[in-house]
């Protein structure tokens, strides 16, 4: 089925009243996601939360199948967790680190992940090492390979950083990790839903993602993938009666599947919405939408660059839908505020959310305009002419 921009815009109630270039923050939900989520909540109110969960069991279970299809794994390898950070944490904090162990990461690492590295380093004497970028601003595969030795306990990188167009070469990192037999944790928060993701092709052992960004699911949803062969080696940092079973007075058994990383109470309506959002993404075709996102972002960068004082900051060989720029002598927060007055949504990337990268480039704050497949060339034109009036 060819991509139908009119129909995806008709499905997106938000895009009629707002120009939304904040898809890396939280995208706009399509109508089917909204309907399924609200419909589920209404049923909870009408017949009871436990009762509707029983009645909608298949639909709730379907969310695992949809995610498995999306990233090319089995449903037993999927845990549904309230956000990408907690999903990542559940994997990361399961790994038993010892003094002298090494964690290898990238310059693009997300703040929450890096804070966790620092905490574990302080507690256990593990060493965190940042692999430098290559000339294109991506993690250097050559330097990564050189850094690998038998003390490396984990390779953990961010696929697409929160603050830029970069797409890290995740599959090449996977190849290096596999060859050395080192567990590989990928923060795919900005890439899942934006580009095709196949955990086999990438070669990652653990992957975290969120619902609200490029997947267009409700807020407070996310998931974790853990490879089957690693599952039973990972002892989750928290357990409850969903993750484990209390089988005798002094004994419990942890579930064998990835749901060992879940907990019992959760947002069921959100889980339904997440499944419908994944179905919706699959229906559009990730190859098709990824191509469109890259084209739109390219158009936006090309249109922005010649504007007076504007500097586009994105790096990488492949550049995604996240466009970052600054305007000489102007405060990104003020630009965002003025765009909002024209019903245009962007966000501001602060140094503290991706410190290694922005510090190295001498940047503090940037305007982040992130496009999705439902955006249009006309919106880009309108965005740039509006921006011009603001910055003049
Ligand atoms: C947004 C983001 C996260 C955190 O996702 P949450 O769902 O807010 O926990 C992690 N990594 C990257 C790269 C992000 O952009």
């Amino acid at each position: 089925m060819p991509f139908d921009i009119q129909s995806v815009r008709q499905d997106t109630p938000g895009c009629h009243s707002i120009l939304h270039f904040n898809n890396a923050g939280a995208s706009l939900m399509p109508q089917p996601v909204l309907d399924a989520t609200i419909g589920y909540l209404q049923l909870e109110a009408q017949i009871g939360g436990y009762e509707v969960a029983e009645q909608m069991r298949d639909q709730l279970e379907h969310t695992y199948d949809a995610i498995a299809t999306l990233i090319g794994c089995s449903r037993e390898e999927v845990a549904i967790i309230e956000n990408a950070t907690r999903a990542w944490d559940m994997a990361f904090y399961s790994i038993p680190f010892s003094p002298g162990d090494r964690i290898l990461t990238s310059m693009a690492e997300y703040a929450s992940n890096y804070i966790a590295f620092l905490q574990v380093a302080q507690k256990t004497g593990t060493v965190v090492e940042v692999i430098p970028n290559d000339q294109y601003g991506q993690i250097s595969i050559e330097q990564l390979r050189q850094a690998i030795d038998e003390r490396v306990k984990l390779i953990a990188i961010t696929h697409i950083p929160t603050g830029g167009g970069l797409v890290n070469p995740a599959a090449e990192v996977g190849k290096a990790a596999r060859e050395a037999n080192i567990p590989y944790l990928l923060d795919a928060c900005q890439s899942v839903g934006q580009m095709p993701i196949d955990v086999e092709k990438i070669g990652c052992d653990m992957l975290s993602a969120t619902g609200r960004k490029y997947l267009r699911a409700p807020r407070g949803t996310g998931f974790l993938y853990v490879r089957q062969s690693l599952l039973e080696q990972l002892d989750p940092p928290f357990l409850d009666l969903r993750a484990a079973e209390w089988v005798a007075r002094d004994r419990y058994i942890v579930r064998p599947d990835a749901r060992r990383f879940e907990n019992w109470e959760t947002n069921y309506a959100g889980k339904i919405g997440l499944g419908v959002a994944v179905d919706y993404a699959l229906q559009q075709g990730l190859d098709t939408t990824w191509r469109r996102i890259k084209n739109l972002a390219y158009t936006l960068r090309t249109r922005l660059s010649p504007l007076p004082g504007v500097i586009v900051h994105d790096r990488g060989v492949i550049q995604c839908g996240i466009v970052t720029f600054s305007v000489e002598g102007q405060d990104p927060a003020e630009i965002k505020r003025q765009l909002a007055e024209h019903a245009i949504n962007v966000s501001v990337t602060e140094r503290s959310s991706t410190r290694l990268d922005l510090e190295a480039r001498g940047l503090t704050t940037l305007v982040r305009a992130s496009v999705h497949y439902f955006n249009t060339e006309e919106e880009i034109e309108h965005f740039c002419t509006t921006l011009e009036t603001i910055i003049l």
Side-chain angles (χ1 to χ4, degrees):
M1 206 179 64
F3 182 76
D4 184 349
I5 182 65
Q6 247 149 13
S7 107
V8 298
R9 284 182 75 80
Q10 261 160 30
D11 279 350
T12 306
C15 75
H16 304 303
S17 48
I18 201 98
L19 194 165
H20 194 68
F21 282 0
N22 189 15
N23 296 289
S27 189
L28 301 175
M29 278 182 275
Q31 193 68 44
V33 172
L34 194 58
D35 290 344
T37 309
I38 293 173
Y40 190 93
L41 272 179
Q42 273 165 346
L43 277 175
E44 282 190 345
Q46 277 155 15
I47 70 169
Y50 285 25
E51 291 71 16
V52 61
E54 228 167 88
Q55 190 179 305
M56 300 279 280
R57 217 189 136 195
D58 290 351
Q59 286 92 326
L60 287 159
E61 284 300 313
H62 170 74
T63 301
Y64 294 87
D65 295 310
I67 292 168
T69 305
L70 181 73
I71 63 169
C73 67
S74 80
R75 68 196 315 279
E76 288 77 24
E77 295 172 313
V78 175
I80 295 172
I81 297 178
E82 62 265 36
N83 56 59
T85 303
R86 215 30 118 231
W88 187 96
D89 285 341
M90 288 306 284
F92 176 69
Y93 285 98
S94 295
I95 299 168
F97 290 102
S98 318
D101 282 348
R102 299 168 69 213
I103 297 171
L104 302 184
T105 188
S106 69
M107 293 289 289
E109 205 58 10
Y110 188 66
S112 297
N113 306 349
Y114 208 83
I115 290 167
F117 293 154
L118 292 177
Q119 188 193 33
V120 161
Q122 280 163 19
K123 275 189 179 165
T124 67
T126 295
V127 183
V128 185
E129 289 170 46
V130 182
I131 305 300
N133 285 337
D134 65 15
Q135 68 198 95
Y136 305 107
Q138 334 176 102
I139 182 172
S140 162
I141 300 300
E142 199 183 316
Q143 304 240 27
L144 172 69
R145 285 183 178 277
Q146 276 168 19
I148 288 176
D149 67 14
E150 67 287 346
R151 289 179 307 146
V152 177
K153 194 76 178 261
L154 177 72
I155 296 172
I157 69 151
T158 295
H159 196 183
I160 292 177
T162 192
L166 173 74
V167 182
N168 261 323
E172 288 176 57
V173 172
K175 217 193 258 170
R178 281 252 172 120
E179 280 167 25
N181 204 18
I182 297 165
Y184 172 24
L185 168 56
L186 184 66
D187 175 342
C189 196
Q190 295 288 4
S191 51
V192 168
Q194 181 170 188
M195 61 189 286
I197 296 288
D198 181 325
V199 292
E200 288 311 321
K201 282 189 191 146
I202 291 174
C204 58
D205 302 295
M206 298 158 280
L207 173 149
S208 55
T210 206
R212 75 179 183 283
K213 296 180 180 173
Y214 277 86
L215 275 177
R216 311 180 65 194
R219 295 196 66 172
T221 60
F223 67 86
L224 172 69
Y225 154 80
V226 177
R227 185 176 295 282
Q228 182 71 48
S229 56
L230 199 65
L231 265 177
E232 297 202 33
Q233 294 170 42
L234 293 182
D235 188 18
F238 313 124
L239 289 174
D240 73 349
L241 80 181
R242 176 168 173 88
E245 192 186 349
W246 192 13
V247 291
R249 209 184 162 87
D250 58 356
R251 211 160 61 83
Y252 63 86
I253 301 172
V254 185
R255 291 178 69 115
D257 61 15
R259 295 186 206 191
R260 61 171 49 199
F261 300 105
E262 294 184 353
N263 60 88
W264 195 86
E265 178 56 0
T266 186
N267 179 354
Y268 278 63
K271 199 170 190 168
I272 287 284
L274 176 62
V276 174
V278 173
D279 288 341
Y280 193 86
L282 290 167
Q283 253 168 40
Q284 308 309 321
L286 272 298
D287 287 314
T288 305
T289 51
W290 173 223
R291 206 176 315 120
R292 182 173 166 85
I293 289 168
K294 280 186 295 185
N295 284 338
L296 287 170
Y298 177 80
T299 305
L300 178 54
R301 288 187 193 103
T302 310
R303 182 70 178 77
L304 279 172
S305 297
L307 297 186
V310 171
I311 306 167
V312 176
H313 292 282
D314 304 312
R315 304 211 58 200
V317 174
I318 297 170
Q319 297 192 341
C320 71
I322 302 177
V323 176
T324 49
F325 65 93
S326 56
V327 184
E328 255 170 336
Q330 304 212 17
D331 176 12
E334 180 57 20
I335 292 173
K336 175 189 153 175
R337 194 191 62 73
Q338 290 198 39
L339 286 168
E341 282 178 1
H342 293 87
I344 295 174
N345 294 342
V346 295
S347 57
V348 170
T349 290
E350 305 276 354
R351 183 181 274 192
S352 58
S353 62
T354 173
R355 176 170 288 280
L356 300 175
D357 178 30
L358 292 200
E359 220 165 53
R361 292 195 277 157
L363 302 169
T364 49
T365 48
L366 300 171
V367 182
R368 181 180 71 173
S370 45
V371 297
H372 213 322
Y373 59 74
F374 60 78
N375 291 126
T376 63
E377 309 255 342
E378 293 73 45
E379 285 182 315
I380 290 171
E381 193 50 38
H382 179 61
F383 177 82
C384 291
T385 49
T386 308
L387 182 70
E388 255 183 302
T389 65
I390 289 173
I391 63 177
L392 272 183

